[in-house]
């Protein structure tokens, strides 16, 4: 049996996630799916804006990515799910590959191109849009009149 839940993470970056949080709330209502929104403030006691004010802009994307992945794992545990499905698309994968090449991170380079990732400590993540370009997703959503 398949049960779907919506999980969204609010990093606490002023103006960054506001529109998508409103969209996911509308999606909850349109598709009658349970929604859990977790914030960095709720999980860690601080927002990314507060972190950046202390550490500066250098490497803040790295910090945020680590916190976000952990927040998704915590959200999955709260919801009792056995898989996280993300909206990562071909453009996201290409960007991640380039970043890992530039960093010389060979182990992560291999993992980032898999459709399903995870280990014993975390909930597996699946990227069903891995081979779909962002432009194609946007065109599909537009023609199907989807709220995105």
């Amino acid at each position: 049996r398949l049960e779907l839940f919506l999980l969204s993470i609010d990093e606490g970056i002023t103006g960054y996630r506001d529109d998508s949080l409103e969209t996911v709330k509308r999606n909850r209502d349109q598709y009658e799916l349970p929604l859990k929104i977790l914030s960095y403030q709720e999980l860690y006691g601080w927002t990314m804006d507060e972190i950046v004010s202390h550490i500066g802009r250098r490497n803040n994307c790295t910090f945020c990515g680590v916190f976000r992945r952990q927040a998704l794992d915590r959200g999955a545990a709260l919801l009792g799910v056995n898989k996280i499905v993300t909206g990562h698309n071909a453009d996201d994968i290409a960007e991640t590959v380039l970043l890992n090449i530039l960093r010389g991170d060979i182990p992560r380079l291999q993992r980032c191109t898999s459709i399903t990732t995870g280990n014993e400590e975390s909930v597996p993540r699946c990227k069903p849009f891995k081979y779909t370009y962002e432009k194609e997703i946007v065109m599909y959503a537009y023609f199907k009149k989807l709220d995105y």
Side-chain angles (χ1 to χ4, degrees):
R1 190 177 117 180
L2 177 66
E3 287 184 74
L4 298 176
F5 298 88
L6 299 171
L7 174 61
S8 193
I9 308 300
D10 180 2
E11 301 89 347
I13 304 170
T14 304
Y16 179 70
R17 186 72 57 199
D18 302 343
D19 288 343
S20 64
L21 288 174
E22 291 308 311
T23 301
V24 78
K25 289 174 189 174
R26 288 192 305 273
N27 290 159
R28 170 199 59 204
D29 298 338
Q30 291 165 341
Y31 301 112
E32 299 178 358
L33 292 171
L35 167 64
K36 180 68 177 167
I37 298 174
L38 290 175
S39 69
Y40 282 12
Q41 182 67 51
E42 177 183 351
L43 290 170
Y44 309 120
W46 33 253
T47 66
M48 269 315 289
D49 282 347
E50 292 169 339
I51 291 173
V52 169
S53 73
H54 285 89
I55 66 166
R57 290 183 141 345
R58 187 173 169 85
N59 293 326
N60 63 19
C61 289
T62 300
F63 285 110
C64 190
V66 170
F67 298 143
R68 185 170 176 72
R69 284 186 290 280
Q70 186 180 74
L72 285 170
D73 284 337
R74 287 185 177 185
L78 283 170
L79 294 170
V81 302
N82 59 9
K83 188 152 310 215
I84 297 172
V85 179
T86 67
H88 290 102
N89 57 56
D91 300 88
D92 298 321
I93 304 296
E95 179 181 302
T96 304
V97 166
L98 287 173
L99 282 171
N100 288 326
I101 288 171
L102 292 172
R103 290 180 182 151
D105 194 341
I106 303 307
R108 188 168 285 160
L109 183 60
Q110 187 174 10
R111 285 193 313 266
C112 77
T113 58
S114 300
I115 289 180
T116 302
T117 58
N119 55 38
E120 295 80 38
E121 296 100 45
S122 65
V123 177
R125 292 160 201 240
C126 181
K127 301 175 234 175
F129 299 119
K130 173 186 172 179
Y131 296 112
T132 310
Y133 295 107
E134 186 172 343
K135 180 192 266 185
E136 295 170 328
I137 294 167
V138 170
M139 285 189 332
Y140 180 84
Y142 174 79
F143 285 116
K144 290 291 188 175
K145 296 180 178 31
L146 300 177
D147 189 5
Y148 66 96

